[in-house]
Amino acid sequence: MSRGRPPMATLTKRSEFLAAARAGRAGTPGFLLQARKRRDDEADPSLVRVGFTCSKKVGNAVARNRAKRRLREIARAVLPEAGRPGWDYVLIGKAGATADRPFDALLDDLRTALERVHSPRPRKS
């Protein structure tokens, strides 16, 4: 791990995934990103936590595992630089897109999705 980059951990409990599902999201052509800021008492506030999921709509077990491997790799490449400590991120694979989309496009999708979930939304009047 290099200096200045937050350590990463993996989401494992269903309740953590459900909490992220109730928070902000950003859709991309390759996957859906859910993101939420954790309370300080939930986990180490210096960690970036990430989870991955693919439903059966993505395909059989081989297709789902391939999609999740690709999601794990883009998270490993992008989140240490663009993720924020104290946040949980869930990457959800899309049928016919996550496994087939060019890898560079998936990397760009994640960077764009992170910018969207972290940008302040204009208030509705």
Side-chain angles (χ1 to χ4, degrees), residues 49-107:
R49 298 193 314 173
V50 63
F52 310 94
T53 186
C54 290
S55 72
K56 287 188 176 182
K57 290 179 187 176
V58 173
N60 63 12
V62 173
R64 291 192 308 270
N65 287 332
R66 179 168 191 257
K68 282 192 280 189
R69 277 195 310 271
R70 292 176 61 112
L71 292 175
R72 277 194 296 270
E73 197 53 41
I74 64 169
R76 195 175 292 125
V78 175
L79 284 178
E81 68 192 30
R84 292 190 183 175
W87 282 70
D88 289 346
Y89 301 100
V90 176
L91 282 76
I92 302 172
K94 284 186 175 180
T98 305
D100 300 330
R101 191 155 168 80
F103 191 73
D104 290 339
L106 284 175
L107 291 170

Side-chain angles (χ1 to χ4, degrees), residues 3-24:
R3 290 181 173 233
R5 291 185 172 200
M8 286 187 17
T10 305
L11 297 176
T12 55
K13 296 182 182 148
R14 185 170 192 272
S15 61
E16 297 168 340
F17 283 86
L18 292 175
R22 290 188 299 267

Side-chain angles (χ1 to χ4, degrees), residues 21-32:
R22 290 188 299 267
R25 63 182 52 111
T28 69
F31 58 88
L32 175 71

